[in-house]
Amino acid sequence: MATFNVDNLNALSDLHPKPDTTFAYGTAGFRMKANLLDSVIFRAGIVATLRSKKLDGKVIGCMITASHNAAPDNGVKLVDPMGEMLEGSWEAHATTMSNCETNEQLAAYIHTMVSTLNIDLTKPARVVFGRDTRPSGDALVAALKDGFKVLDAESTDMGIITTPQLHYAVRCLNTQGTPEAYGEPTVEGYYKKLADAFKVLVEGKPRSSSTLILDCANGVGAPKFQEMLPFLGDSLAVKIVNDDIVDDTKLNLNSGADYVKTQQRGPLGLKMNSQDRYASFDGDADRLVYYYADEDGTFKLLDGDKIAGLAAMFIIELVKAAGIDNVSVGVVQTAYANGASTQYLRSNLNVPVSCVPTGVKHLHHEAMKYDVGVYFEANGHGTVVFSPSALKTIYTAEESSPAQAVAIRLLRALSEVINQTVGDAFSDLLLVEAILTQRQWTPKIWDQAYTDLPNRLVKVVVQDRSIFKTVDAERKLVEPVGLQDAIDAIVLKFRGGRSFVRPSGTEDVVRVYAEAATRSETDELAYRIAGLVFNFNSNGSGPRPREFL
Ligand code: 16G
Ligand code: MG
């Protein structure tokens, strides 16, 4: 077995000592206060190197971001060769490595991985990395680069980019020169691919007379979307707001997709009028929500569920019009999907709908079971994945009428405008704009597909969220024993009531979701279930749930 230079490891590791904290590679990688992350990111660099060597030198991605969190936080996640999330078993290796207390333990764990996973250390390692706009990014990049030095990885720095741009680049680098070539592995290549496809999708259609006001959460989406505008030319008019990336206290503050979705209101200070349409990105531009103001000024949200419905509707109709009905279309949601959206997909669109646990990797995986899999979380993270056979059918279909020719051309462009590696706010925005332009729809017409059931999300702070265990795509609790029966008994009393309880994967809280026929019944249901959870956990440590409503 080839070995590695332990002195080199020790010298580098001494520069990045582990603080007295326990780390875990969670739903979206490691994420916490940036000042605790130095050793974690150094070691993530080692894990990425080992992963690349294990996969015969395939390029692995490292993204330094904390998405919709405030600027003092940061994080890192690793990206597998086709642009997907790191494989689950390696998350566990990343966790173990991040928790090694001494240099000796670290060296021993690297040896363990090398021998148990049969990693050939003489193989090359290639990694590509990027970061968002957080000030802590620079120092964390330095730690990451030291990690690459341990086992000699060859690295490419993409600078400040969005998370989905990194996922895109990873896939491009690994497919270059193959039949699955995904595009030019540069941000310019990304802009060009998306913009060219978008222009095909809107060709010959009048542009909307209203403006798209785009809230970038004062994050990386602002400079990057600005950079894409010249590629779009006059095919899309956008006014960017919340684009201050200099004052880091503004990042994700009272703005952005997470704020708009959870508060069910527009960004603070944004005056909305009923003529325009609005969209928000999150801090690393992998989530998108739309919204508008009704004539009477009422705020109306078009969240991930609405985007999934719009995309599924459009794709199903194109597949039919293209005469390739053998291509199956399916939608993947989580338990957070509004009940009305699931009903619309099943009953109006007649499309199969699967429900999976929260977290992009679960949705992505399930979506790959369909020829064309549309997946979205209600929070606005999602995309569409096309199977190789669906792409082949779309690219080899022969038209027997002008209408079929149009449908085939649009489907091909759709498969190009969509970032198939991961949910991408830029790409999803172009998808939505293309469909609205094709149909000449306002957001209000789009919204008429179905009416959301009122819903409420409440956090309950508990001492130990690990005692909450779920099954059935997080819709049922099996532990603590008896709690689910108590929940069911309450839900039964509410018209159209639905509620579930799950431990968060990113925060030290338990989340309670409720929906019912009316706003007041929904709030009452959410409050009663949250109260139940709080009381059940006799160590309940946070404020009484009533205060969250
Ligand atoms: C992470 C997930 C997101 C999920 C959220 C749920 C990824 C890349 N991101 O941000 O998909 O909706 O966690 O958070 O998987 P929670 O477990 O705290 O509710
Ligand atoms: Mg994000």
Side-chain angles (χ1 to χ4, degrees):
M1 185 185 77
T3 184
F4 64 95
N5 184 338
V6 176
D7 292 339
N8 182 38
L9 169 71
N10 291 343
L12 289 163
S13 180
D14 284 342
L15 301 173
H16 306 284
K18 178 184 175 294
D20 184 17
T21 308
T22 306
F23 302 105
Y25 193 102
T27 328
F30 294 104
R31 193 181 294 181
M32 55 181 50
K33 292 276 167 283
N35 59 10
L36 290 172
L37 273 169
D38 185 66
S39 67
V40 176
I41 298 222
F42 165 70
R43 293 168 189 203
I46 304 177
V47 175
T49 308
L50 287 168
R51 180 85 181 138
S52 176
K53 285 181 187 280
K54 169 71 192 168
L55 299 178
D56 221 0
K58 288 247 165 35
V59 180
I60 298 298
C62 307
M63 183 69 200
I64 297 181
T65 178
S67 184
H68 52 279
N69 293 29
D73 290 0
N74 214 328
V76 64
K77 56 186 162 189
L78 303 185
V79 179
D80 261 355
M82 288 303 274
E84 71 278 41
M85 301 285 169
L86 179 68
E87 190 194 285
S89 62
W90 278 69
E91 294 184 357
H93 293 307
T95 296
T96 310
M97 197 180 283
S98 68
N99 289 313
C100 290
E101 292 298 338
T102 61
N103 289 351
E104 290 68 37
Q105 280 181 17
L106 186 56
Y109 195 67
I110 295 173
H111 273 124
T112 305
M113 283 180 70
V114 168
S115 60
T116 57
L117 299 168
N118 247 327
I119 299 172
D120 181 352
L121 287 180
T122 63
K123 290 265 162 87
R126 294 160 67 209
V127 288
V128 58
F129 63 94
R131 64 179 186 90
D132 69 14
T133 53
R134 285 158 214 272
S136 57
D138 271 339
L140 294 177
V141 159
L144 188 67
K145 283 183 176 165
D146 279 351
F148 297 151
K149 286 183 198 156
V150 172
L151 297 165
D152 266 337
E154 179 194 309
S155 69
T156 307
D157 183 355
M158 295 200 64
I160 293 180
I161 53 172
T162 72
T163 296
Q165 287 177 333
L166 181 78
H167 285 254
Y168 163 90
V170 169
R171 179 134 163 193
C172 291
L173 288 164
N174 285 308
T175 54
Q176 254 173 341
T178 74
E180 286 82 43
Y182 197 62
E184 277 293 313
T186 58
V187 281
E188 289 75 24
Y190 166 95
Y191 297 137
K192 196 164 171 341
K193 176 173 175 171
L194 267 58
D196 287 352
F198 180 72
K199 287 178 190 162
V200 171
L201 288 165
V202 297
E203 204 176 280
K205 297 280 177 187
R207 249 177 35 196
S208 164
S209 56
S210 76
T211 308
L212 172 63
I213 315 276
L214 177 59
D215 154 35
C216 292
N218 297 310
V220 65
K224 292 289 145 179
F225 204 87
Q226 188 67 46
E227 213 170 80
M228 185 163 75
L229 287 178
F231 293 82
L232 290 164
D234 58 10
S235 63
L236 183 69
V238 180
K239 180 173 178 241
I240 296 177
V241 298
N242 293 329
D243 59 351
D244 183 352
I245 57 164
V246 176
D247 178 356
D248 64 302
T249 62
K250 291 190 181 165
L251 178 62
N252 295 311
L253 182 69
N254 300 326
S255 63
D258 195 62
Y259 174 86
V260 171
K261 169 70 183 162
T262 54
Q263 303 295 313
Q264 308 195 12
R265 68 164 83 116
L268 200 69
L270 180 69
K271 284 215 167 37
M272 290 176 61
N273 65 65
S274 63
Q275 266 76 55
D276 292 329
R277 61 196 189 290
Y278 300 81
S280 287
F281 293 162
D282 71 336
D284 64 337
D286 65 354
R287 287 192 196 179
L288 172 73
V289 295
Y290 266 74
Y291 40 100
Y292 66 100
D294 220 343
E295 285 76 24
D296 62 5
T298 314
F299 172 83
K300 297 280 191 175
L301 179 65
L302 294 153
D303 63 1
D305 298 339
K306 288 275 182 181
I307 298 174
L310 184 75
M313 177 279 300
F314 192 64
I315 291 170
I316 289 166
E317 291 187 10
L318 280 184
V319 164
K320 269 194 207 127
I324 49 169
D325 310 44
N326 57 330
V327 169
S328 72
V329 181
V331 181
V332 184
Q333 302 185 311
T334 71
Y336 289 113
N338 196 279
S341 78
T342 314
Q343 168 83 10
Y344 163 77
L345 291 165
R346 290 210 170 112
S347 308
N348 296 57
L349 298 185
N350 282 315
V351 68
V353 183
S354 333
C355 183
V356 299
T358 303
V360 173
K361 60 174 179 267
H362 300 295
L363 288 116
H364 195 92
H365 188 74
E366 180 71 19
M368 285 180 25
K369 294 183 182 162
Y370 298 101
D371 289 333
V372 181
V374 178
Y375 74 82
F376 270 88
E377 291 187 294
N379 63 26
H381 185 111
T383 189
V384 182
V385 288
F386 293 77
S387 72
S389 82
L391 285 174
K392 190 156 175 240
T393 308
I394 291 168
Y395 276 90
T396 54
E398 282 175 23
E399 67 264 21
S400 56
S401 70
Q404 267 187 8
V406 171
I408 293 167
R409 185 173 155 78
L410 291 177
L411 269 176
R412 287 178 190 163
L414 265 192
S415 75
E416 299 274 316
V417 88
I418 291 167
N419 185 341
Q420 295 183 46
T421 65
V422 78
D424 180 340
F426 289 20
S427 149
D428 291 339
L429 180 145
L430 295 179
L431 171 68
V432 169
E433 290 298 316
I435 301 173
L436 296 182
T437 308
Q438 270 291 327
R439 294 290 147 112
Q440 297 287 293
W441 280 2
T442 59
K444 187 167 180 173
I445 301 178
W446 165 18
D447 201 14
Q448 279 159 7
Y450 62 87
T451 306
D452 270 325
L453 286 168
N455 57 91
R456 179 69 67 193
L457 189 60
V458 181
K459 291 185 197 187
V460 184
V461 182
V462 296
Q463 213 132 68
D464 182 10
R465 75 190 200 275
S466 71
I467 64 164
F468 293 84
K469 300 256 161 49
T470 62
V471 291
D472 190 19
E474 305 180 317
R475 288 172 292 192
K476 283 211 157 14
L477 276 176
V478 280
E479 286 176 34
V481 175
L483 184 51
Q484 186 62 47
D485 290 340
I487 293 172
D488 291 345
I490 294 178
V491 169
L492 269 181
K493 295 182 188 143
F494 288 79
R495 284 184 305 143
R498 182 170 77 92
S499 179
F500 64 90
V501 172
R502 59 174 279 277
S504 158
T506 63
E507 274 182 81
D508 214 3
V509 298
V510 168
R511 298 199 200 282
V512 173
Y513 176 89
E515 62 188 33
T518 61
R519 161 64 43 215
S520 60
E521 284 166 292
T522 302
D523 288 349
E524 179 69 17
L525 177 58
Y527 157 65
R528 298 221 1 221
I529 304 289
L532 198 64
V533 171
F534 186 86
N535 292 337
F536 221 88
N537 185 271
S538 52
N539 298 327
S541 56
R544 292 236 139 244
R546 174 58 103 180
E547 288 156 34
F548 290 104
L549 290 183

Short mmCIF file of all heavy atoms in Angstrom, two decimals, residues 8-18 30 36-49 62 64 76 78 97-98 103 106 110 139-151:
data_model
loop_
_atom_site.label_atom_id
_atom_site.label_comp_id
_atom_site.label_asym_id
_atom_site.label_seq_id
_atom_site.Cartn_x
_atom_site.Cartn_y
_atom_site.Cartn_z
N ASN A 8 4.38 15.91 6.73
CA ASN A 8 3.69 16.97 5.97
C ASN A 8 2.28 17.18 6.53
O ASN A 8 1.84 18.31 6.76
CB ASN A 8 3.65 16.52 4.50
CG ASN A 8 3.00 17.54 3.59
OD1 ASN A 8 3.18 18.74 3.78
ND2 ASN A 8 2.22 17.06 2.63
N LEU A 9 1.58 16.06 6.80
CA LEU A 9 0.24 16.16 7.38
C LEU A 9 0.29 16.89 8.72
O LEU A 9 -0.48 17.82 8.96
CB LEU A 9 -0.37 14.76 7.57
CG LEU A 9 -1.65 14.73 8.41
CD1 LEU A 9 -2.82 15.35 7.66
CD2 LEU A 9 -2.01 13.30 8.84
N ASN A 10 1.21 16.48 9.56
CA ASN A 10 1.30 17.08 10.90
C ASN A 10 1.57 18.58 10.82
O ASN A 10 0.93 19.37 11.52
CB ASN A 10 2.41 16.40 11.72
CG ASN A 10 2.03 14.98 12.08
OD1 ASN A 10 0.85 14.62 12.00
ND2 ASN A 10 3.01 14.18 12.46
N ALA A 11 2.52 18.95 9.93
CA ALA A 11 2.88 20.37 9.82
C ALA A 11 1.67 21.17 9.36
O ALA A 11 1.37 22.25 9.91
CB ALA A 11 4.04 20.53 8.84
N LEU A 12 0.94 20.65 8.40
CA LEU A 12 -0.23 21.37 7.89
C LEU A 12 -1.36 21.38 8.92
O LEU A 12 -2.02 22.39 9.14
CB LEU A 12 -0.71 20.76 6.57
CG LEU A 12 0.22 20.99 5.37
CD1 LEU A 12 -0.09 20.03 4.23
CD2 LEU A 12 0.09 22.44 4.88
N SER A 13 -1.56 20.23 9.55
CA SER A 13 -2.65 20.11 10.52
C SER A 13 -2.42 21.04 11.72
O SER A 13 -3.37 21.59 12.28
CB SER A 13 -2.79 18.66 10.97
OG SER A 13 -3.83 18.56 11.89
N ASP A 14 -1.13 21.23 12.08
CA ASP A 14 -0.83 22.14 13.20
C ASP A 14 -1.30 23.57 12.91
O ASP A 14 -1.57 24.34 13.82
CB ASP A 14 0.69 22.16 13.47
CG ASP A 14 1.13 20.90 14.22
OD1 ASP A 14 0.24 20.22 14.80
OD2 ASP A 14 2.34 20.58 14.21
N LEU A 15 -1.39 23.91 11.63
CA LEU A 15 -1.86 25.26 11.26
C LEU A 15 -3.38 25.38 11.42
O LEU A 15 -3.92 26.47 11.39
CB LEU A 15 -1.49 25.56 9.80
CG LEU A 15 -0.02 25.52 9.42
CD1 LEU A 15 0.15 25.68 7.90
CD2 LEU A 15 0.74 26.62 10.16
N HIS A 16 -4.05 24.22 11.54
CA HIS A 16 -5.52 24.23 11.60
C HIS A 16 -6.02 23.36 12.75
O HIS A 16 -6.63 22.32 12.54
CB HIS A 16 -6.09 23.72 10.25
CG HIS A 16 -5.55 24.48 9.09
ND1 HIS A 16 -5.97 25.75 8.77
CD2 HIS A 16 -4.56 24.18 8.21
CE1 HIS A 16 -5.29 26.19 7.72
NE2 HIS A 16 -4.43 25.26 7.35
N PRO A 17 -5.73 23.80 13.99
CA PRO A 17 -6.09 22.98 15.16
C PRO A 17 -7.61 22.84 15.32
O PRO A 17 -8.36 23.76 15.00
CB PRO A 17 -5.48 23.76 16.33
CG PRO A 17 -5.31 25.15 15.84
CD PRO A 17 -5.10 25.07 14.37
N LYS A 18 -8.01 21.70 15.85
CA LYS A 18 -9.44 21.45 16.05
C LYS A 18 -9.91 22.10 17.35
O LYS A 18 -9.31 21.88 18.39
CB LYS A 18 -9.69 19.94 16.12
CG LYS A 18 -11.15 19.60 16.38
CD LYS A 18 -11.37 18.11 16.55
CE LYS A 18 -12.79 17.81 16.93
NZ LYS A 18 -13.17 18.32 18.26
N PHE A 30 -21.17 20.74 6.24
CA PHE A 30 -20.87 21.32 7.55
C PHE A 30 -21.34 22.77 7.52
O PHE A 30 -21.09 23.47 6.54
CB PHE A 30 -19.36 21.31 7.82
CG PHE A 30 -18.76 19.94 7.96
CD1 PHE A 30 -18.02 19.37 6.94
CD2 PHE A 30 -18.94 19.22 9.14
CE1 PHE A 30 -17.46 18.11 7.07
CE2 PHE A 30 -18.37 17.95 9.29
CZ PHE A 30 -17.63 17.40 8.25
N LEU A 36 -15.33 28.61 13.79
CA LEU A 36 -15.12 27.24 14.26
C LEU A 36 -14.74 26.30 13.11
O LEU A 36 -14.52 25.11 13.31
CB LEU A 36 -16.41 26.71 14.92
CG LEU A 36 -16.79 27.35 16.24
CD1 LEU A 36 -18.17 26.89 16.68
CD2 LEU A 36 -15.74 26.97 17.31
N LEU A 37 -14.71 26.85 11.89
CA LEU A 37 -14.67 25.97 10.72
C LEU A 37 -13.29 25.68 10.14
O LEU A 37 -13.16 24.85 9.24
CB LEU A 37 -15.53 26.57 9.61
CG LEU A 37 -17.01 26.22 9.64
CD1 LEU A 37 -17.78 27.09 8.65
CD2 LEU A 37 -17.23 24.75 9.32
N ASP A 38 -12.26 26.37 10.63
CA ASP A 38 -10.94 26.25 10.00
C ASP A 38 -10.47 24.79 9.86
O ASP A 38 -10.10 24.35 8.77
CB ASP A 38 -9.94 27.09 10.81
CG ASP A 38 -8.59 27.12 10.17
OD1 ASP A 38 -8.49 27.69 9.07
OD2 ASP A 38 -7.64 26.55 10.74
N SER A 39 -10.52 24.05 10.96
CA SER A 39 -10.01 22.66 10.90
C SER A 39 -10.94 21.79 10.05
O SER A 39 -10.50 20.88 9.35
CB SER A 39 -9.90 22.08 12.31
OG SER A 39 -11.18 21.92 12.89
N VAL A 40 -12.23 22.09 10.12
CA VAL A 40 -13.21 21.29 9.37
C VAL A 40 -12.96 21.43 7.87
O VAL A 40 -12.99 20.46 7.11
CB VAL A 40 -14.64 21.77 9.70
CG1 VAL A 40 -15.66 21.02 8.88
CG2 VAL A 40 -14.92 21.60 11.18
N ILE A 41 -12.69 22.66 7.45
CA ILE A 41 -12.51 22.90 6.02
C ILE A 41 -11.18 22.34 5.54
O ILE A 41 -11.09 21.77 4.45
CB ILE A 41 -12.69 24.41 5.73
CG1 ILE A 41 -14.12 24.77 6.13
CG2 ILE A 41 -12.34 24.74 4.27
CD1 ILE A 41 -14.93 25.64 5.28
N PHE A 42 -10.15 22.48 6.37
CA PHE A 42 -8.86 21.85 6.06
C PHE A 42 -9.06 20.35 5.81
O PHE A 42 -8.61 19.79 4.81
CB PHE A 42 -7.89 22.10 7.23
CG PHE A 42 -6.66 21.25 7.23
CD1 PHE A 42 -5.68 21.44 6.27
CD2 PHE A 42 -6.48 20.24 8.17
CE1 PHE A 42 -4.53 20.64 6.25
CE2 PHE A 42 -5.35 19.44 8.17
CZ PHE A 42 -4.37 19.64 7.20
N ARG A 43 -9.80 19.72 6.71
CA ARG A 43 -10.00 18.27 6.61
C ARG A 43 -10.95 17.91 5.46
O ARG A 43 -10.81 16.85 4.84
CB ARG A 43 -10.50 17.71 7.94
CG ARG A 43 -9.41 17.85 9.02
CD ARG A 43 -9.93 17.60 10.40
NE ARG A 43 -8.94 17.94 11.41
CZ ARG A 43 -8.94 17.44 12.63
NH1 ARG A 43 -9.87 16.57 13.00
NH2 ARG A 43 -8.02 17.79 13.51
N ALA A 44 -11.89 18.80 5.16
CA ALA A 44 -12.77 18.55 4.01
C ALA A 44 -11.92 18.51 2.73
O ALA A 44 -12.22 17.76 1.79
CB ALA A 44 -13.84 19.64 3.90
N GLY A 45 -10.85 19.30 2.73
CA GLY A 45 -9.93 19.27 1.58
C GLY A 45 -9.27 17.90 1.45
O GLY A 45 -9.05 17.41 0.33
N ILE A 46 -8.99 17.27 2.58
CA ILE A 46 -8.38 15.92 2.55
C ILE A 46 -9.43 14.90 2.06
O ILE A 46 -9.14 14.03 1.23
CB ILE A 46 -7.86 15.51 3.95
CG1 ILE A 46 -6.88 16.55 4.49
CG2 ILE A 46 -7.24 14.12 3.90
CD1 ILE A 46 -6.36 16.27 5.91
N VAL A 47 -10.65 15.03 2.56
CA VAL A 47 -11.71 14.10 2.16
C VAL A 47 -11.95 14.21 0.64
O VAL A 47 -12.07 13.21 -0.07
CB VAL A 47 -13.03 14.38 2.93
CG1 VAL A 47 -14.15 13.48 2.42
CG2 VAL A 47 -12.83 14.17 4.42
N ALA A 48 -12.00 15.44 0.14
CA ALA A 48 -12.23 15.65 -1.30
C ALA A 48 -11.11 14.99 -2.11
O ALA A 48 -11.35 14.36 -3.15
CB ALA A 48 -12.31 17.14 -1.61
N THR A 49 -9.89 15.12 -1.62
CA THR A 49 -8.74 14.53 -2.31
C THR A 49 -8.87 13.00 -2.36
O THR A 49 -8.69 12.37 -3.40
CB THR A 49 -7.42 14.90 -1.58
OG1 THR A 49 -7.38 16.31 -1.39
CG2 THR A 49 -6.21 14.44 -2.36
N CYS A 62 -15.80 21.51 -4.10
CA CYS A 62 -15.93 21.96 -2.71
C CYS A 62 -16.53 23.36 -2.75
O CYS A 62 -15.96 24.26 -3.38
CB CYS A 62 -14.59 22.08 -2.00
SG CYS A 62 -13.57 20.62 -2.08
N ILE A 64 -17.79 26.59 -0.51
CA ILE A 64 -17.78 27.23 0.81
C ILE A 64 -18.91 28.26 0.85
O ILE A 64 -18.85 29.29 0.18
CB ILE A 64 -16.40 27.87 1.08
CG1 ILE A 64 -15.33 26.77 1.12
CG2 ILE A 64 -16.41 28.66 2.39
CD1 ILE A 64 -13.94 27.23 1.39
N VAL A 76 -19.22 24.19 4.38
CA VAL A 76 -18.62 23.58 3.18
C VAL A 76 -19.43 22.36 2.79
O VAL A 76 -19.92 21.63 3.66
CB VAL A 76 -17.13 23.21 3.42
CG1 VAL A 76 -16.97 22.15 4.48
CG2 VAL A 76 -16.47 22.75 2.12
N LEU A 78 -19.38 19.09 -0.25
CA LEU A 78 -18.61 18.46 -1.31
C LEU A 78 -19.55 17.97 -2.40
O LEU A 78 -20.69 17.58 -2.13
CB LEU A 78 -17.79 17.30 -0.74
CG LEU A 78 -16.84 17.65 0.40
CD1 LEU A 78 -16.00 16.45 0.81
CD2 LEU A 78 -15.91 18.80 0.00
N MET A 97 -13.66 12.26 10.22
CA MET A 97 -12.38 12.94 10.08
C MET A 97 -12.39 14.31 10.78
O MET A 97 -11.42 14.70 11.41
CB MET A 97 -12.01 13.10 8.61
CG MET A 97 -10.53 13.41 8.46
SD MET A 97 -10.00 13.61 6.78
CE MET A 97 -9.92 11.95 6.20
N SER A 98 -13.53 14.99 10.69
CA SER A 98 -13.60 16.34 11.30
C SER A 98 -13.52 16.27 12.82
O SER A 98 -13.18 17.25 13.47
CB SER A 98 -14.89 17.04 10.88
OG SER A 98 -16.00 16.39 11.46
N ASN A 103 -3.40 14.90 15.71
CA ASN A 103 -2.80 14.61 14.40
C ASN A 103 -2.65 13.10 14.20
O ASN A 103 -2.82 12.59 13.10
CB ASN A 103 -1.41 15.25 14.30
CG ASN A 103 -1.52 16.76 14.18
OD1 ASN A 103 -2.61 17.30 14.00
ND2 ASN A 103 -0.37 17.43 14.28
N LEU A 106 -5.87 11.66 13.22
CA LEU A 106 -6.18 12.07 11.84
C LEU A 106 -5.42 11.19 10.85
O LEU A 106 -6.00 10.65 9.90
CB LEU A 106 -5.79 13.55 11.67
CG LEU A 106 -6.14 14.24 10.36
CD1 LEU A 106 -7.63 14.13 10.07
CD2 LEU A 106 -5.73 15.72 10.43
N ILE A 110 -7.00 8.52 8.10
CA ILE A 110 -6.69 8.54 6.66
C ILE A 110 -6.22 7.14 6.24
O ILE A 110 -6.68 6.58 5.24
CB ILE A 110 -5.61 9.60 6.33
CG1 ILE A 110 -6.17 11.00 6.61
CG2 ILE A 110 -5.17 9.49 4.86
CD1 ILE A 110 -5.16 12.14 6.49
N ALA A 139 -10.18 33.24 4.27
CA ALA A 139 -9.38 32.45 5.20
C ALA A 139 -9.74 30.96 5.08
O ALA A 139 -8.86 30.10 5.19
CB ALA A 139 -9.62 32.92 6.63
N LEU A 140 -11.02 30.69 4.84
CA LEU A 140 -11.43 29.28 4.75
C LEU A 140 -10.91 28.64 3.47
O LEU A 140 -10.57 27.45 3.45
CB LEU A 140 -12.95 29.17 4.87
CG LEU A 140 -13.49 29.59 6.25
CD1 LEU A 140 -15.00 29.54 6.30
CD2 LEU A 140 -12.90 28.71 7.36
N VAL A 141 -10.79 29.44 2.41
CA VAL A 141 -10.19 28.93 1.16
C VAL A 141 -8.74 28.55 1.43
O VAL A 141 -8.25 27.51 0.96
CB VAL A 141 -10.30 29.98 0.03
CG1 VAL A 141 -9.28 29.72 -1.06
CG2 VAL A 141 -11.71 29.98 -0.57
N ALA A 142 -8.04 29.36 2.22
CA ALA A 142 -6.64 29.06 2.54
C ALA A 142 -6.54 27.72 3.28
O ALA A 142 -5.65 26.91 3.01
CB ALA A 142 -6.04 30.18 3.37
N ALA A 143 -7.49 27.48 4.20
CA ALA A 143 -7.49 26.21 4.94
C ALA A 143 -7.77 25.04 4.00
O ALA A 143 -7.13 23.99 4.09
CB ALA A 143 -8.56 26.25 6.04
N LEU A 144 -8.69 25.26 3.08
CA LEU A 144 -9.03 24.21 2.12
C LEU A 144 -7.81 23.84 1.27
O LEU A 144 -7.49 22.67 1.06
CB LEU A 144 -10.18 24.72 1.22
CG LEU A 144 -10.81 23.71 0.27
CD1 LEU A 144 -11.56 22.62 1.03
CD2 LEU A 144 -11.78 24.41 -0.69
N LYS A 145 -7.10 24.88 0.84
CA LYS A 145 -5.92 24.64 -0.02
C LYS A 145 -4.85 23.87 0.74
O LYS A 145 -4.16 23.02 0.16
CB LYS A 145 -5.34 25.97 -0.49
CG LYS A 145 -6.15 26.62 -1.61
CD LYS A 145 -5.41 27.87 -2.01
CE LYS A 145 -5.99 28.60 -3.17
NZ LYS A 145 -5.43 29.97 -3.24
N ASP A 146 -4.70 24.17 2.04
CA ASP A 146 -3.75 23.39 2.84
C ASP A 146 -4.19 21.92 2.88
O ASP A 146 -3.37 21.01 2.83
CB ASP A 146 -3.65 23.95 4.27
CG ASP A 146 -2.72 25.16 4.33
OD1 ASP A 146 -2.04 25.43 3.32
OD2 ASP A 146 -2.67 25.82 5.39
N GLY A 147 -5.50 21.70 2.96
CA GLY A 147 -6.02 20.33 2.93
C GLY A 147 -5.63 19.62 1.64
O GLY A 147 -5.26 18.44 1.65
N PHE A 148 -5.68 20.35 0.53
CA PHE A 148 -5.32 19.74 -0.76
C PHE A 148 -3.84 19.35 -0.80
O PHE A 148 -3.45 18.42 -1.50
CB PHE A 148 -5.60 20.70 -1.92
CG PHE A 148 -7.06 21.06 -2.08
CD1 PHE A 148 -7.44 22.30 -2.62
CD2 PHE A 148 -8.06 20.17 -1.72
CE1 PHE A 148 -8.78 22.63 -2.77
CE2 PHE A 148 -9.40 20.50 -1.87
CZ PHE A 148 -9.76 21.74 -2.40
N LYS A 149 -3.02 20.10 -0.03
CA LYS A 149 -1.57 19.83 -0.06
C LYS A 149 -1.21 18.50 0.60
O LYS A 149 -0.16 17.93 0.32
CB LYS A 149 -0.82 20.95 0.68
CG LYS A 149 -0.74 22.26 -0.10
CD LYS A 149 0.08 23.27 0.69
CE LYS A 149 -0.18 24.69 0.18
NZ LYS A 149 0.13 25.68 1.22
N VAL A 150 -2.06 18.03 1.52
CA VAL A 150 -1.73 16.83 2.29
C VAL A 150 -1.47 15.64 1.36
O VAL A 150 -0.52 14.89 1.54
CB VAL A 150 -2.85 16.51 3.30
CG1 VAL A 150 -2.62 15.17 3.97
CG2 VAL A 150 -2.95 17.63 4.34
N LEU A 151 -2.34 15.47 0.36
CA LEU A 151 -2.18 14.32 -0.54
C LEU A 151 -2.04 14.78 -1.99
O LEU A 151 -2.40 14.07 -2.92
CB LEU A 151 -3.37 13.36 -0.39
CG LEU A 151 -3.52 12.70 0.99
CD1 LEU A 151 -4.88 12.07 1.16
CD2 LEU A 151 -2.42 11.67 1.22
#
